[in-house]
Amino acid sequence: MDIPDYIKTINELQEGEISHIYVLSGDWDFLKEDIISRIYNLLRTKGETIIVRVGSVDELDREIKNARNVLIPTVKLIIARLDNPPKLKVIPDDVYLIIDTNSAIRIPKSKQINLSPPNPRDTETYLKEIIRGLARYYKKSIEESSIIMLVSALSQAPYLLLSVWNTLLLLVGDEGKIEESYVREVVRNIPTLAGFQIIDLLERGRALEALFLLRKEYYPDSEIMQLLSALRRRYKLILYAKTINPYDSELAKVFNISTAYARFILNISRDYPLDSLIKKIKLLLSTERRIKTGEIRPKDGLEDFILSLSLSS
């Protein structure tokens, strides 16, 4: 299999290469969102950038026309969710366009990026190639047996790939190799794969995306309670790390966790604002109390918790 378009694109963006028009096709939306985020961050290095999302050709035309009448120079990144190709004429130099589609849209002078496997039976091979590409991108080595382990865990839930990979990077830190023990640790400490993605989104400040995922998927009450318990344990570990500043071996011994997971907690705790952590703990404890007293159902309680995080951020 050729190098996936996703890997080619993130490497180009790292080198500062950016196109004015991208067409992101395929149904792996988590890769689309990652590329959109990378493009946005690159544009922000060039100057003030605003991001606008539209859902029709008419809205797109209106946003492009409005960009021509802006008095203060501002870069505009337009994300257009379209099923039909727009009739583009001239796009201003300070406008960048991303077409998000599941259709075969072709636009002259655009960068075409396919973000899904060629066909469903190639999913595992596609995942392997992306993991290998991410390892090269972040200058990490990883054994083939570790890649196979990751693919086995992700084959039924590939949308968790980047969440799991980001956790691996935190575990590894400055080390050059992703040891198999780290991979085992990440896979073992995922309470439920889907639930883990919600935790990962919350920890990255993407509360509304976490809320969307919660409403999109079905979660039994037992999984919701398991997820809340996993969050409470993580917050407890981070609070201990923030206030005591222990060595990884000490943290591992006190909480009966592996040294690798202790190192992961210490890594994420360094830049974790203490006031934000305390606020999350209070909200979480209040949510669990309301659920246990029957005031609210588990899923509704988690939704309220996520909304409270979003409003307080």
Side-chain angles (χ1 to χ4, degrees):
M1 179 180 286
D2 294 336
I3 297 174
D5 285 356
Y6 169 75
I7 296 299
K8 293 178 183 177
T9 304
I10 64 173
N11 279 294
E12 289 170 359
L13 293 171
Q14 186 184 43
E15 296 298 320
E17 300 176 20
I18 190 166
S19 299
H20 264 280
I21 306 175
Y22 288 89
V23 177
L24 308 185
S25 59
D27 55 6
W28 283 27
D29 291 344
F30 68 99
L31 293 184
K32 291 180 180 179
E33 288 301 323
D34 185 69
I35 285 181
I36 289 171
S37 176
R38 290 172 185 271
I39 291 172
Y40 176 60
N41 289 333
L42 179 56
L43 289 175
R44 289 176 64 191
T45 65
K46 301 176 182 296
E48 184 179 351
T49 304
I50 61 172
I51 186 167
V52 179
R53 292 181 182 266
V54 300
S56 69
V57 172
D58 289 341
E59 288 180 297
L60 174 59
D61 289 340
R62 186 162 55 249
E63 286 296 335
I64 292 175
K65 289 177 182 177
N66 290 342
R68 297 191 180 101
N69 300 321
V70 174
L71 297 177
I72 301 175
T74 304
V75 175
K76 177 181 281 190
L77 174 61
I78 304 175
I79 317 299
R81 185 72 178 86
L82 304 176
D83 293 321
N84 298 304
K87 295 180 180 179
L88 299 174
K89 295 181 181 179
V90 178
I91 296 181
D93 291 340
D94 55 358
V95 171
Y96 292 79
L97 174 60
I98 299 176
I99 305 293
D100 175 2
T101 183
N102 289 327
S103 304
I105 291 180
R106 295 286 174 182
I107 298 176
K109 299 182 181 180
S110 66
K111 182 82 173 179
Q112 303 282 149
I113 304 173
N114 181 33
L115 296 171
S116 61
N119 55 68
R121 68 173 178 272
D122 291 329
T123 296
E124 291 193 2
T125 303
Y126 189 69
L127 281 170
K128 286 181 182 179
E129 291 303 320
I130 289 181
I131 292 171
R132 292 187 184 110
L134 285 169
R136 291 191 298 269
Y137 179 87
Y138 288 100
K139 296 180 172 57
K140 305 290 184 183
S141 62
I142 183 170
E143 299 286 348
E144 187 66 21
S145 58
S146 294
I147 294 176
I148 292 171
M149 190 186 308
L150 282 171
V151 170
S152 296
L154 292 167
S155 58
Q156 298 302 313
Y159 55 86
L160 293 170
L161 170 61
L162 297 182
S163 297
V164 169
W165 181 261
N166 290 334
T167 303
L168 269 176
L169 290 180
L170 285 169
L171 269 175
V172 174
D174 295 332
E175 297 177 31
K177 183 177 181 180
I178 300 174
E179 301 287 353
E180 188 169 303
S181 59
Y182 294 148
V183 177
R184 290 185 185 279
E185 192 68 37
V186 169
V187 172
R188 185 171 68 86
N189 277 281
I190 297 174
T192 63
L193 283 173
F196 176 72
Q197 190 185 27
I198 290 178
I199 293 177
D200 181 63
L201 288 170
L202 290 176
E203 291 305 279
R204 291 160 63 191
R206 295 161 62 177
L208 292 180
E209 290 178 52
L211 182 62
F212 174 79
L213 178 63
L214 177 64
R215 289 175 173 172
K216 179 181 177 183
E217 304 291 339
Y218 168 73
Y219 296 95
D221 289 350
S222 59
E223 284 192 13
I224 296 292
M225 297 308 294
Q226 187 180 22
L227 194 155
L228 290 170
S229 176
L231 268 175
R232 176 166 27 84
R233 179 169 172 77
R234 176 175 289 195
Y235 291 160
K236 183 178 180 180
L237 289 168
I238 295 172
L239 182 61
Y240 186 90
K242 291 288 291 183
T243 54
I244 305 299
N245 194 27
Y247 291 109
D248 52 10
S249 57
E250 178 187 345
L251 184 63
K253 183 178 180 180
V254 170
F255 289 94
N256 193 29
I257 59 177
S258 70
T259 304
Y261 190 59
R263 190 177 301 120
F264 164 70
I265 292 297
L266 291 172
N267 282 338
I268 65 175
S269 69
R270 291 193 184 103
D271 299 321
Y272 215 115
L274 186 57
D275 57 344
S276 173
L277 176 61
I278 292 173
K279 185 181 297 183
K280 287 180 178 180
I281 291 173
K282 288 181 178 178
L283 286 171
L284 181 58
L285 291 176
S286 174
T287 299
E288 288 187 310
R289 178 190 59 77
R290 294 174 67 202
I291 292 173
K292 290 174 181 177
T293 58
E295 179 184 338
I296 194 169
R297 295 173 57 191
K299 187 170 183 178
D300 293 335
L302 182 54
E303 283 191 5
D304 285 357
F305 173 70
I306 294 173
L307 281 171
S308 297
L309 289 183
S310 175
L311 292 173
S312 63
S313 62

